[in-house]
Amino acid sequence: MKSYTIALIPGDGIGVPVTDAAWQVLEQVAKTHRFALSATRFPWSCDFYRKTGAMMPPDGIETLRGFDAILLGAVGWPAEVPDSVSLHGLLLPIRKAFVQYANIRPHRLLPGVEGPLKAERFDILCIRENTEGEYAGAGGRVHQGTADEVAVETSIFTRAGVERILRFGFEQARARRGRLASVTKSNAQKYSMVFWDEITAKLAAQYPDVTVTSYHIDAMAARMVMAPESLDVVVASNLFGDILTDLGAAIQGGLGFAASANINPDRSAPSMFEPVHGSAPDIAHLGIANPMAAIWSAAMMLEHLGESEGAKAIMVALEQTTARGIGTIPGKHRTDDITAAVLVALGA
């Protein structure tokens, strides 16, 4: 029997209950599909920051390095800790330290879920560059607080970084329906985005079986609304991918269904899996958070670990649950009730 060690970081707000829900589902799937999971829970969060002055301990990265995967809930409590502190103190350091350069987010409607669009039969896989680009953190502020203050934020695009995320996108497209959309804004950003376009064209020659189309970010945003069924794999920079995937969440019925994976493709370090809905402080005490994005993220984790049958079982259970109308309308069902329904669909 295979065994996997999982680091649980529930984080803040609704991250705690949805992580608990995902873990219940994982335990049930492990039992029925004959593999073992063991979890170590870490209290790293904005509450941890208020108590210690840091989002995680100095040895946090090395502590996580020994795990097979990381399951994260949500991080952030802006009323207490600025988002710039919480993000740069936990999530981004993990992504960068473990070279989780591929952020994967699936966008499709589960049965029974109504999106805001007329289109229903879309299945988009967004691939976002996850460790450099516009979120590299290079820059600074001079003469801070004065009338002469200057703020500089520098995007970093390396040939190695751009090539590896594009190659990852080509491989995903090859494994799916053979269509890749590369997103830039090269008409306005004549250095970084032209650079991206040039590398896309170079790699396209190595993937003759993949149809490649380049889009500007504004045109892609419109296409995701007007013709989402025309898209297969979408690959974009850190900032553009971030924006497009929130749009993708909206067209698939809301952030309650938005799962993601932060992947280290060469498996030299653990990958991290998380819903992308945030901590939602306004509803954190109500018990109505939708755990489906966290459960979907858990399925992506099992797929990455090689437990594809377990991952498939979770997705079938989610689809059966939403087909019954459970978890499809925000706030209608409690977190525990949705979780219980998924467990019943799994045969618990």
Side-chain angles (χ1 to χ4, degrees):
M1 180 183 292
K2 291 185 178 179
S3 179
Y4 307 97
T5 58
I6 310 300
L8 296 183
I9 309 177
D12 300 297
I14 66 170
V16 177
V18 301
T19 301
D20 289 343
W23 187 249
Q24 290 180 57
V25 170
L26 284 167
E27 287 186 310
Q28 176 61 30
V29 171
K31 187 185 304 180
T32 56
H33 288 265
R34 299 187 60 77
F35 60 88
L37 294 172
S38 62
T40 301
R41 191 181 181 102
F42 296 96
W44 306 340
S45 61
C46 288
D47 185 56
F48 186 85
Y49 179 89
R50 289 194 298 269
K51 293 175 180 176
T52 68
M55 290 297 295
M56 62 178 167
D59 64 348
I61 293 297
E62 290 311 307
T63 299
L64 294 174
R65 193 177 296 277
F67 288 87
D68 293 312
I70 304 162
L71 186 63
L72 179 76
V75 176
W77 202 273
E80 301 289 340
V81 179
D83 284 341
S84 58
V85 171
S86 58
L87 182 66
H88 286 273
L90 185 62
L91 189 61
L92 293 186
I94 292 173
R95 288 175 174 174
K96 292 176 181 178
F98 295 148
V99 200
Q100 297 169 350
Y101 66 81
N103 183 269
I104 306 174
R105 300 190 186 183
H107 302 296
R108 63 182 177 88
L109 285 171
L110 296 177
V113 177
E114 292 186 8
L117 305 181
K118 294 179 181 179
E120 295 181 351
R121 297 184 179 277
F122 57 86
D123 182 0
I124 306 169
L125 189 69
C126 279
I127 308 296
R128 166 189 169 190
E129 201 290 316
N130 211 30
T131 59
E132 55 175 49
E134 303 90 347
Y135 294 176
R141 294 168 67 178
V142 180
H143 309 304
Q144 194 165 345
T146 74
D148 297 319
E149 183 170 0
V150 176
V152 176
E153 191 91 32
T154 302
S155 299
I156 303 294
F157 289 87
T158 66
R159 180 170 292 275
V162 175
E163 183 168 327
R164 69 188 181 185
I165 194 63
L166 283 168
R167 191 176 296 279
F168 187 87
F170 273 104
E171 294 292 342
Q172 295 296 311
R174 173 175 279 175
R176 284 169 51 98
R177 301 192 302 277
R179 300 199 306 273
L180 180 72
S182 176
V183 181
T184 65
K185 187 63 176 171
S186 51
N187 57 341
Q189 295 175 285
K190 63 180 182 178
Y191 301 118
S192 60
M193 296 287 97
V194 170
F195 176 60
W196 181 293
D197 284 348
E198 288 173 354
I199 297 176
T200 301
K202 175 185 174 183
L203 289 179
Q206 301 175 28
Y207 293 87
D209 52 326
V210 176
T211 300
V212 186
T213 308
S214 291
Y215 295 92
H216 290 149
I217 177 64
D218 40 0
M220 174 53 68
R223 179 166 287 272
M224 286 183 69
V225 172
M226 301 301 293
E229 68 283 351
S230 69
L231 299 169
D232 181 14
V233 175
V234 175
V235 62
S237 69
N238 215 329
L239 173 62
F240 292 166
D242 193 2
I243 295 168
L244 289 175
T245 50
D246 272 12
L247 177 56
I251 68 173
Q252 73 181 118
L255 287 169
F257 304 100
S260 79
N262 303 277
I263 298 295
N264 174 310
D266 68 11
R267 300 174 184 268
S268 59
S271 294
M272 180 168 60
F273 304 82
E274 55 168 327
V276 298
H277 48 53
S279 59
D282 57 327
I283 65 166
H285 62 294
L286 299 178
I288 57 171
N290 190 340
M292 289 194 170
I295 295 170
W296 194 335
S297 299
M300 296 177 75
M301 183 181 77
L302 290 188
E303 185 71 38
H304 180 72
L305 292 173
E307 298 294 342
S308 57
E309 290 302 314
K312 182 179 178 180
I314 290 177
M315 293 310 301
V316 169
L318 283 177
E319 291 170 354
Q320 291 177 349
T321 300
T322 57
R324 294 171 55 202
I326 299 174
T328 58
I329 300 174
K332 182 178 180 180
H333 297 97
R334 298 186 64 80
T335 308
D336 290 346
D337 295 333
I338 298 171
T339 307
V342 175
L343 290 170
V344 168
L346 284 167

